[in-house]
């Protein structure tokens, strides 16, 4: 059967180095031509005039709670939220119950996602103090996740000998949650009882983040191991991650860019997450670091908990916020405020994460790449409301905020998964392919890494 051909006409197409009003031809699952003739024969024509065509977002840090806490989210519900937010690929974290720390547990997630995910998926394998064998065998994972500092769940590797072994004896790229456990525990003990939510940032301090980030980067350098610093939250981590060494990459989350300690007064535990929010100056300087290229990736750390759970007084309240369906709109709103360009957004949210994790065919609009695409109306204004959130947690810390610039149609490998406010029941994603052998993706000049 000949491949289904879709011609997307006259959209402003966000290419790696420019935005060009042109026509894009999709054949089957891939992008077949850019600057195709307007008259090109196609089975389906999408009129893109007045709209912007971007690569689908690759969110390399989400928590979808399956197995174990599917009352908060599961792979299916998380993927529906992704589709509506313009996220065409997610990479999910291992702190589920049971944890994804064995090849069998990881395979279970891939099998489950093959049945239920509307968008493309990959799953990290989690490190423990004694599972190096599994880390070596999980060839199909995008990478290894280490919690250097505890968070939701019980995955923690803090002991130096165990960390050395992981960096020395494994080959998959590593990413880490960096908050120093000793510092966090000391701060917690010093504050005593009667804590308020704002104490979360006095416990999980900038210093705690810095110590763990420095420690992990030192290990990556020592063992020449690819390493990605998740959710940089403080300005003082920036000189560390600005390493200049292509082995080291980093990312920032919208909540660390757009919230600060000042928001505890109105949002309380709704802005409780790990790493904690920091000062308004930190948020400002993180944005500058992103603009300067010192941080390469924007991802969400989507971590849904129910509102009832968040409503328990601190410190019993869980850390984490849902974000996957609003992250692109939050960034498009910044574009409309004149704070960044569309090509920068595509680089931070699509291209850079695809290259950090060596995802074949992802992250950019280019011939031969997968037709993971999102049509965006940069002029559409919409107010975020809890009642319309698709995450099973059904709330957003940005509820009440009106953002300008929203995804209106999402295609996953040429298949429309989101349109007219509806996510298709029939659509399904595919497992990402990680070509770690090719390596050097990240280091390639101008990021042209095919
Ligand atoms: O706030 C957080 N919540 N940070 C994490 O690292 C984990 C996440 C969760 O799984 O709830």
């Amino acid at each position: 059967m000949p491949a289904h051909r879709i011609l997307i006409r006259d959209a402003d197409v966000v290419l790696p180095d420019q935005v060009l009003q042109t026509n894009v031809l999709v054949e089957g699952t891939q992008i077949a031509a850019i600057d195709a003739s307007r008259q090109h024969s196609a089975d389906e024509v999408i009129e893109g005039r007045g709209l912007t065509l971007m690569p689908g977002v690759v969110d390399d840090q989400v928590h979808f709670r399956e197995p174990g806490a599917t009352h908060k989210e599961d792979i299916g519900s998380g993927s529906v939220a992704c589709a509506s937010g313009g996220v065409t690929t997610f990479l999910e974290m291992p702190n589920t119950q049971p944890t994804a720390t064995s090849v069998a547990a990881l395979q279970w997630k891939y099998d489950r996602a093959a049945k239920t995910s509307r968008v493309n998926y990959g799953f990290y394998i989690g490190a423990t103090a004694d599972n190096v064998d599994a880390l070596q065998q999980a060839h199909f994972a995008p990478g290894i996740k280490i919690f250097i500092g505890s968070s939701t769940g019980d995955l923690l590797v803090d002991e130096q000998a165990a960390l050395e072994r992981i960096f020395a004896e494994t080959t998959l790229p590593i990413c880490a949650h960096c908050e120093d456990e000793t510092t966090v525990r000391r701060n917690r003990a010093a504050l005593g009882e009667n804590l308020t939510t704002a104490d979360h940032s006095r416990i999980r301090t900038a210093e705690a983040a810095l110590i763990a980030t420095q420690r992990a980067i030192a290990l990556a350098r020592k063992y020449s191991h690819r390493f990605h610093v998740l959710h940089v939250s403080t300005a003082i981590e920036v000189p560390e991650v600005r390493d200049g060494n292509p082995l080291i990459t980093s990312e920032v989350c919208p909540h660390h860019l757009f919230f600060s300690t000042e928001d505890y007064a109105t949002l309380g535990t709704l802005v409780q997450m790990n790493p904690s929010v920091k000062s308004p100056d930190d948020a400002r300087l993180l944005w500058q670091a992103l603009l300067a290229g010192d941080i390469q990736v924007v991802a969400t750390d989507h971590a849904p908990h129910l509102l009832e759970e968040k409503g328990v007084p601190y410190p019993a309240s869980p850390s984490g916020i849902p974000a996957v369906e609003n992250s692109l709109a939050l960034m498009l709103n910044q574009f409309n405020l004149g704070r960044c360009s569309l090509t920068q957004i595509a680089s931070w949210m699509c291209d850079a994460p695809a290259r950090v994790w060596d995802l074949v065919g992802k992250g950019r609009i280019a011939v031969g790449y997968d037709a993971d695409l999102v049509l965006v109306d940069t002029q559409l204004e919409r107010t975020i409301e809890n009642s319309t959130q698709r995450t099973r947690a059904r709330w957003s810390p940005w509820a009440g905020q009106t953002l300008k610039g929203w995804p209106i149609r999402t295609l996953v490998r040429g298949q429309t998964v989101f349109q007219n406010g509806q996510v298709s029941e029939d659509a399904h994603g595919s497992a990402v392919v990680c070509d770690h052998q090719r390596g050097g993706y990240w280091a390639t000049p101008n990021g042209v890494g095919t």
Side-chain angles (χ1 to χ4, degrees):
M1 207 170 71
H4 186 75
R5 281 194 299 193
I6 307 171
L7 184 65
I8 306 168
R9 254 189 344 210
D10 297 327
D12 293 324
V13 181
V14 182
L15 299 171
D17 51 356
Q18 61 174 323
V19 180
L20 189 69
Q21 191 185 34
T22 188
N23 311 307
V24 172
L25 182 69
V26 171
E27 259 177 26
T29 61
Q30 291 194 338
I31 297 167
I34 295 167
D35 231 358
S37 155
R38 284 192 92 255
Q39 314 309 332
H40 209 292
S41 70
D43 305 297
E44 188 182 350
V45 173
I46 298 176
E47 292 299 348
R49 188 172 291 277
L51 300 173
T52 299
L53 187 71
M54 297 184 63
V57 170
V58 176
D59 192 330
D60 76 0
Q61 194 187 175
V62 306
H63 301 264
F64 282 168
R65 313 298 190 203
E66 185 173 8
T70 53
H71 66 287
K72 300 174 197 261
E73 196 81 286
D74 63 21
I75 293 169
S77 64
S79 76
V80 166
C82 281
S84 70
V87 177
T88 51
T89 298
F90 66 81
L91 304 183
E92 205 254 2
M93 288 294 164
N95 59 332
T96 41
Q97 301 155 17
T99 54
T101 49
S102 67
V103 171
L106 195 64
Q107 187 63 54
W108 187 93
K109 285 192 178 184
Y110 277 91
D111 292 346
R112 182 77 185 141
K115 295 193 185 91
T116 63
S117 182
R118 315 290 170 89
V119 301
N120 306 310
Y121 49 86
F123 297 92
Y124 296 97
I125 183 151
T128 69
D130 52 15
N131 75 339
V132 162
D133 283 0
L135 304 182
Q136 289 167 342
Q137 288 158 20
H139 303 293
F140 51 103
I144 296 167
K145 165 74 181 283
I146 315 178
F147 281 88
I148 309 177
S150 59
S151 190
T152 304
D154 52 11
L155 278 178
L156 169 67
V157 186
D158 194 31
E159 195 202 322
Q160 189 65 15
L163 288 171
E164 297 261 355
R165 213 162 49 240
I166 296 165
F167 276 89
E169 295 178 19
T170 67
T171 54
L172 285 178
I174 295 175
C175 61
H177 178 121
C178 296
E179 284 185 296
D180 182 58
E181 192 65 13
T182 309
T183 308
V184 167
R185 287 188 189 169
R186 194 185 54 228
N187 293 339
R188 170 76 180 81
L191 282 168
E193 298 313 310
N194 303 322
L195 299 176
T196 66
T197 314
D199 287 324
H200 195 62
S201 295
R202 300 185 188 103
I203 295 170
R204 291 179 176 268
T205 52
E207 184 203 12
L210 177 66
I211 292 170
T213 296
Q214 282 175 331
R215 189 178 177 200
I217 288 178
L219 284 163
R221 282 210 203 96
K222 179 172 172 185
Y223 294 103
S224 292
H225 204 121
R226 290 267 303 281
F227 180 61
H228 185 64
V229 185
L230 298 166
H231 41 43
V232 174
S233 63
T234 82
I236 57 171
E237 287 172 282
V238 172
E240 308 299 322
V241 300
R242 185 200 288 137
D243 187 273
N245 181 342
L247 287 172
I248 313 290
T249 54
S250 63
E251 78 188 36
V252 64
C253 301
H255 49 259
H256 292 127
L257 293 169
F258 306 134
F259 288 127
S260 73
T261 44
E262 296 195 339
D263 293 299
Y264 284 125
T266 49
L267 292 170
T269 60
L270 299 189
V271 287
Q272 177 196 334
M273 75 280 293
N274 304 332
S276 65
V277 286
K278 306 296 190 302
S279 71
D281 265 354
D282 282 298
R284 185 176 54 77
L285 292 166
L286 288 173
W287 184 263
Q288 280 182 15
L290 191 58
L291 288 177
D294 296 335
I295 296 173
Q296 298 82 20
V297 172
V298 172
T300 61
D301 194 10
H302 175 88
H305 300 283
L306 300 189
L307 272 179
E308 299 92 276
E309 296 166 333
K310 290 295 258 184
V312 171
Y314 186 81
S317 45
S319 294
I321 61 155
V324 84
E325 61 203 280
N326 298 313
S327 56
L328 179 57
L330 284 160
M331 297 302 285
L332 292 170
N333 192 55
Q334 297 298 309
F335 160 72
N336 276 312
L337 293 171
R339 296 185 75 209
C340 62
S341 69
L342 292 169
T343 47
Q344 282 172 316
I345 294 175
S347 171
W348 300 330
M349 302 187 82
C350 315
D351 192 44
R355 285 186 297 117
V356 165
W357 299 107
D358 303 315
L359 306 185
V360 175
K362 301 296 185 203
R364 56 177 60 186
I365 297 180
V367 173
Y369 275 62
D370 287 346
D372 293 336
L373 299 166
V374 55
L375 259 180
V376 155
D377 182 348
T378 60
Q379 299 309 300
L380 182 65
E381 293 193 37
R382 184 178 299 147
T383 304
I384 298 177
E385 291 167 25
N386 285 348
S387 61
T388 56
Q389 297 303 290
R390 287 177 167 86
T391 168
R392 190 160 288 158
R394 291 254 179 263
W395 65 277
S396 164
W398 288 282
Q401 290 198 24
T402 301
L403 304 179
K404 186 171 175 185
W406 284 90
I408 60 163
R409 182 166 177 165
T410 307
L411 285 83
V412 171
R413 299 176 83 236
Q415 229 185 341
T416 294
V417 298
F418 171 68
Q419 190 183 7
N420 301 327
Q422 301 295 321
V423 175
S424 160
E425 297 278 331
D426 307 325
H428 61 92
S430 304
V432 293
V433 177
C434 309
D435 188 355
H436 296 311
Q437 300 311 319
R438 187 155 40 176
Y441 242 38
W442 183 252
T444 321
N446 304 322
V448 182
T450 48

